[in-house]
Amino acid sequence: MKTIGILTGGGDAPGLNAVIRAVVLTAKHRYGWDVIGIRQGFDGLLHDAPANILTEERVRPLLTRGGTILGAVNRGNPFRQVVETADGAVEPIDLTDEALRRLTNMGVEALIVAGGDGTMAIAQKLLDRGARVVGVPKTIDNDLAQTDVTFGFDTAILTATDALDKLQTTAESHHRVMVLEVMGRNAGWIALKAGVAGGADAILIPEIPFNIATVCAHIQQAREHGRNYSLIVVAEGAAPINGAQEYYIQTGGVMRLGGIGYIVGNMIADCIGAEVRVTVLGHLQRGGQPTPHDRWLATRFGSAAVQLVAQEQWGYMVALRGEQIVSVPMTDALQMKQVDPNGDMVQMARDLGIVFG
Ligand code: F6P
């Protein structure tokens, strides 16, 4: 083995650059390998491009930098494209073999992919055609079943908790109800952890469909006891009992989760007549410097991924179990990890007086 490749797919997460850095440094110092960075996720294999060798000098300063220097793309499988034929019909074509040819032309003997469930699913297709691939799990949502935690999650919690701390002071001044919508897709991890850390009164998560009357009664009760402000955290994937999740539609008809914060805000304003303000934290949760925890975890994952390559554990990804880094089949990354509505974390929050609707 002389040269390996790395790409980052799906949405970015704080810590991705630390993974790239750890891969390059470990490959060089422990094994004497070069690392080629593939740009824009798997899209980087759709066109011929000069091999981009990542030097030690290039990656050394990356530990603290958010985002990914390689770029990332968060949409479907670029190897499956629909083209128009000469007679005007449309048909799907599979570009996987072309992608494999480009990897070979670049001299990439094994590929490390850092990404979430979508990235691992595409990587699995490359693997099925003979590519030598290992994975690094990534998402701020912490919703991947095979690892105790993903890097980026801790940074997202810090951002969301900081937002709650700031909302609390202005809520108190104006006697307002502050609603904070956070990310997380179909898992309530960010909402739960930031909500508890930020002293929220109510936390609405996808795993527990909510009844707004319960939230309103709770706010009302606090007011009767002389506390005239409330903090409500709403996960973007939360939905009322018998209701649907909220999406907004972007150009091209792409559906994105989001908007439930405003709906909850309006419902609360209607039922208790208090002043309500809504903040949608959005992509602030994905940006900025990774926390020391995320730098540490990302560095361990990057370094361990190089060792998976050395051990030829194709089709495996690194994961954290307790304090140990282990390897698990990439296909298992597709299993989702949600908050247990009956688990001890939710129970603890309830014991503190937090309502889930
Ligand atoms: O999976 C990470 C995540 O930030 C989700 O929490 C959110 O729903 C989604 O990505 C947003 O994706 P995009 O950056 O494509 O809008």
Side-chain angles (χ1 to χ4, degrees):
M1 184 87 62
K2 286 198 182 66
T3 308
I4 63 174
I6 181 167
L7 64 79
T8 53
D12 64 356
L16 271 177
N17 277 328
V19 171
I20 296 168
R21 177 180 181 272
V23 165
V24 171
L25 297 182
T26 309
K28 180 177 167 43
H29 288 282
R30 183 154 177 186
Y31 299 104
W33 301 336
D34 281 335
V35 179
I36 289 179
I38 292 152
R39 295 187 197 280
Q40 298 306 119
F42 291 108
D43 279 12
L45 297 176
L46 291 182
H47 314 281
D48 289 322
N52 165 32
I53 291 189
L54 297 168
T55 62
E56 181 162 356
E57 295 65 42
R58 175 78 178 98
V59 301
R60 274 262 170 233
L62 293 183
L63 194 56
T64 57
R65 203 189 299 172
T68 159
I69 55 159
L70 296 176
V73 176
N74 199 7
R75 64 177 138 70
N77 182 348
F79 302 151
R80 218 187 122 67
Q81 298 204 348
V82 176
V83 290
E84 199 171 325
T85 57
D87 57 2
V90 285
E91 64 180 31
I93 52 162
D94 185 354
L95 300 172
T96 312
D97 287 335
E98 245 182 78
L100 289 174
R101 184 182 54 73
R102 285 204 177 88
L103 274 177
T104 309
N105 288 351
M106 276 190 255
V108 172
E109 294 160 86
L111 181 64
I112 296 176
V113 298
D117 48 0
T119 304
M120 297 303 162
I122 301 170
Q124 186 63 43
K125 296 250 156 39
L126 290 178
L127 197 83
D128 293 344
R129 304 271 182 103
R132 311 204 294 177
V133 187
V134 302
V136 175
K138 160 251 57 160
T139 168
I140 65 160
D141 304 331
N142 198 34
D143 60 350
L144 299 181
Q146 291 303 322
T147 182
D148 287 355
V149 69
T150 47
F151 62 85
F153 178 53
D154 190 60
T155 309
I157 294 172
L158 177 69
T159 303
T161 307
D162 181 50
L164 283 169
D165 292 348
K166 289 180 170 138
L167 289 172
Q168 193 259 327
T169 57
T170 173
E172 197 169 358
S173 308
H174 290 272
H175 298 175
R176 283 174 173 161
V177 176
M178 292 294 188
V179 175
L180 178 69
E181 181 183 307
V182 298
M183 283 184 166
R185 291 202 299 186
N186 296 311
W189 294 109
I190 298 176
L192 176 64
K193 291 217 167 173
V196 170
D201 298 274
I203 301 173
L204 307 183
I205 57 176
E207 296 86 345
I208 306 178
F210 64 85
N211 176 355
I212 203 67
T214 310
V215 179
C216 291
H218 190 65
I219 297 170
Q220 198 61 54
Q221 213 178 25
R223 292 189 167 235
E224 280 158 19
H225 285 90
R227 191 160 59 78
N228 286 320
Y229 71 91
S230 300
L231 297 176
I232 315 296
V233 181
V234 185
E236 63 181 1
I241 294 169
N242 298 325
Q245 289 178 316
E246 246 350 273
Y247 286 87
Y248 62 95
I249 299 175
Q250 282 190 327
T251 329
V254 181
M255 307 268 286
R256 292 261 165 240
L257 268 177
I260 187 68
Y262 281 100
I263 290 177
V264 166
N266 287 339
M267 286 171 161
I268 294 172
D270 283 349
C271 67
I272 62 167
E275 269 201 85
V276 181
R277 295 291 184 271
V278 178
T279 303
V280 179
L281 202 49
H283 289 79
L284 287 175
Q285 293 157 100
R286 289 247 299 270
Q289 287 198 335
T291 59
H293 172 277
D294 282 340
R295 293 178 206 178
W296 166 246
L297 182 59
T299 299
R300 286 189 83 192
F301 274 3
S303 184
V306 176
Q307 281 161 54
L308 286 191
V309 171
Q311 293 156 7
E312 306 200 348
Q313 286 206 47
W314 315 126
Y316 280 75
M317 66 170 199
V318 296
L320 185 74
R321 299 274 170 81
E323 283 302 311
Q324 297 298 318
I325 302 285
V326 298
S327 61
V328 296
M330 264 170 15
T331 38
D332 293 355
L334 306 182
Q335 294 162 20
M336 195 172 46
K337 176 178 68 189
Q338 287 185 298
V339 174
D340 178 359
N342 304 309
D344 60 345
M345 292 187 222
V346 168
Q347 187 55 52
M348 179 206 66
R350 289 192 196 278
D351 293 345
L352 299 173
I354 297 171
V355 297
F356 287 82

